[in-house]
Amino acid sequence: MKIAVTAANGKLGSSIVNELIKAIGKEKVIGIVRTPEKASHLGIEVRKGDYNSREDFNSALKGVDSVLLISGMDDPQKRIQQHRNVIEAAKENGVKKIVYTSIIGDQEKTAFSPIVHSNRQTENDIKESGLNWVIGRNGIYIEPDLEYIDNYVKEGEIRNCAGEGKCGYTSREELGFAYTQMLLQEKHNGQTYNLVGKPITQSKLTELINQVFNTNLTYHSVSVEDYEKERKAELGDFIGTVITGIYNGIKLGVNDVHSDFEKAAGRPHKSTLEIMQAFKEK
Ligand SMILES: NC(=O)c1ccc[n+]([C@@H]2O[C@H](COP(=O)([O-])OP(=O)(O)OC[C@H]3O[C@@H](n4cnc5c(N)ncnc54)[C@H](OP(=O)(O)O)[C@@H]3O)[C@@H](O)[C@H]2O)c1
């Protein structure tokens, strides 16, 4: 049995590879990456695979039984064809199962919706592929917030437009564990899972950060319009718009969803507090 992970050198890809190695040994895991030089640290067989190249994936998926497709980072419209390059090559090479890392979100209501929409299109493409499939809809990673704490401290607050909306955060480690089970166990075939922890407000997030990291932050909610102006000025139009869309989605409740994590992973999702404590100890 060979299992391949695309974008394997990325943070989520590496986490899934590490969990797979623990479960089945490194001889059975293949990393497919755009830039092979960036993946030598994984300690597994590495093959080249740029999502823009169907040919790359025709070679990379030879002899592979299951593939984990990590959602790309490109413009949403480009992603659909990029993901199709992997799906079509998987079909042609006799891959038996495809597992896809999709995203929680609403397809219409926010500036993040085009990304959600493109992910839903890939979900449909996968369901129609004829392969066995499993789809995970990932919650928002908590790590970027924790990596940003020094900036929050400088600013004295956590400021965004999420208001009282609740968000089910997750972590790349939790996802790595869940996706490994989804790849290895047949009982997950044909399932779409929300991979999130317990939803919390931004005020609760701030309280937990204060508790774990000994900070004294407050949460400050601003309007969507003001937040968009601020984010665009700091991060540029594309990323600024996407980030605003994500927090607007939280405000509108689109990230306040039930969790299927335990069903997918076979154990409960760690609490946000536990994830923060583990992050601090690293
Ligand atoms: N749930 C969330 O909160 C959240 C947040 C951010 C992103 N995401 C999504 O989750 C995915 C994984 O996140 P991550 O944390 O692992 O991101 P990451 O660490 O930035 O890794 C992104 C990976 O995508 C690869 N990649 C980009 N364009 C590619 C292409 N054309 N062909 C092949 N590989 C390509 C990168 O390869 P190189 O190293 O060669 O660039 C890298 O391995 C992202 O791609 C994005 O779709 C989710």
Side-chain angles (χ1 to χ4, degrees):
M1 178 186 54
K2 294 271 188 194
I3 298 184
V5 177
T6 71
N9 66 304
K11 295 192 190 91
L12 179 59
S14 303
S15 170
I16 296 169
V17 164
N18 289 336
E19 288 294 338
L20 275 171
I21 291 173
K22 278 191 227 163
I24 57 173
K26 62 181 176 183
E27 301 74 25
K28 293 182 180 155
V29 186
I30 296 169
I32 304 181
V33 300
R34 170 162 64 173
T35 323
E37 306 82 82
K38 285 189 185 175
S40 48
H41 66 280
L42 293 173
I44 54 171
E45 179 184 347
V46 172
R47 298 181 182 175
K48 180 166 166 33
D50 184 323
Y51 290 149
N52 293 303
S53 168
R54 169 76 191 276
E55 293 70 37
D56 276 3
F57 279 90
N58 276 348
S59 309
L61 290 173
K62 290 222 173 338
V64 166
D65 298 290
S66 300
V67 62
L68 186 287
L69 169 58
I70 294 208
S71 173
M73 293 284 257
D74 231 316
D75 178 77
Q77 277 315 307
K78 281 197 200 154
R79 289 186 197 194
I80 293 172
Q81 184 52 48
Q82 291 178 333
H83 295 159
R84 281 181 183 155
N85 286 338
V86 181
I87 298 165
E88 291 303 316
K91 279 159 69 177
E92 203 171 298
N93 277 281
V95 172
K96 293 179 200 70
K97 173 164 170 172
I98 184 161
V99 181
Y100 174 53
T101 72
S102 186
I103 190 89
I104 298 283
D106 180 88
Q107 292 195 67
E108 285 166 12
K109 293 180 188 156
T110 77
F112 188 60
S113 294
I115 290 179
V116 178
H117 185 74
S118 78
N119 277 233
R120 295 288 175 271
Q121 180 59 54
T122 297
E123 291 183 11
N124 289 337
D125 290 343
I126 281 173
K127 288 177 186 170
E128 285 167 11
S129 68
L131 274 58
N132 289 322
W133 58 267
V134 194
I135 292 164
R137 291 184 176 167
N138 297 348
I140 295 180
Y141 308 149
I142 192 85
E143 292 94 334
D145 265 301
L146 307 183
E147 285 155 7
Y148 202 75
I149 285 178
D150 287 348
N151 296 66
Y152 287 144
V153 168
K154 274 184 211 146
E155 292 163 9
E157 61 181 14
I158 295 181
R159 188 176 58 253
N160 58 51
C161 63
E164 291 306 305
K166 285 187 177 175
C167 175
Y169 287 98
T170 187
S171 75
R172 296 186 187 92
E173 254 180 52
E174 288 295 85
L175 292 174
F177 186 81
Y179 279 108
T180 297
Q181 312 312 311
M182 289 154 69
L183 279 159
L184 296 178
Q185 295 172 6
E186 283 186 19
K187 67 178 181 188
H188 299 301
N189 293 357
Q191 300 294 319
T192 301
Y193 292 133
N194 290 340
L195 299 177
V196 296
K198 186 178 168 211
I200 56 172
T201 61
Q202 295 296 298
S203 301
K204 182 70 185 175
L205 178 74
T206 310
E207 187 189 310
L208 291 172
I209 288 177
N210 284 340
Q211 183 183 335
V212 176
F213 297 92
N214 301 318
T215 52
N216 192 20
L217 302 169
T218 50
Y219 173 59
H220 180 181
S221 181
V222 296
S223 72
V224 176
E225 294 71 26
D226 286 352
Y227 190 61
E228 183 167 28
K229 265 187 231 151
E230 188 187 302
R231 290 294 89 191
K232 279 184 174 174
E234 187 168 329
L235 303 168
D237 278 4
F238 179 70
I239 300 289
T241 305
V242 168
I243 299 288
T244 306
I246 290 172
Y247 283 104
N248 189 17
I250 297 175
K251 182 189 180 79
L252 297 173
V254 308
N255 290 82
D256 188 0
V257 294
H258 76 273
S259 177
D260 301 308
F261 185 90
E262 187 162 355
K263 212 169 150 195
R267 65 149 171 84
H269 195 283
K270 287 183 182 158
S271 69
T272 310
L273 181 69
E274 282 174 286
I275 293 172
M276 285 185 187
Q277 284 166 335
F279 181 93
K280 191 183 172 195
E281 279 159 25
K282 266 192 190 164

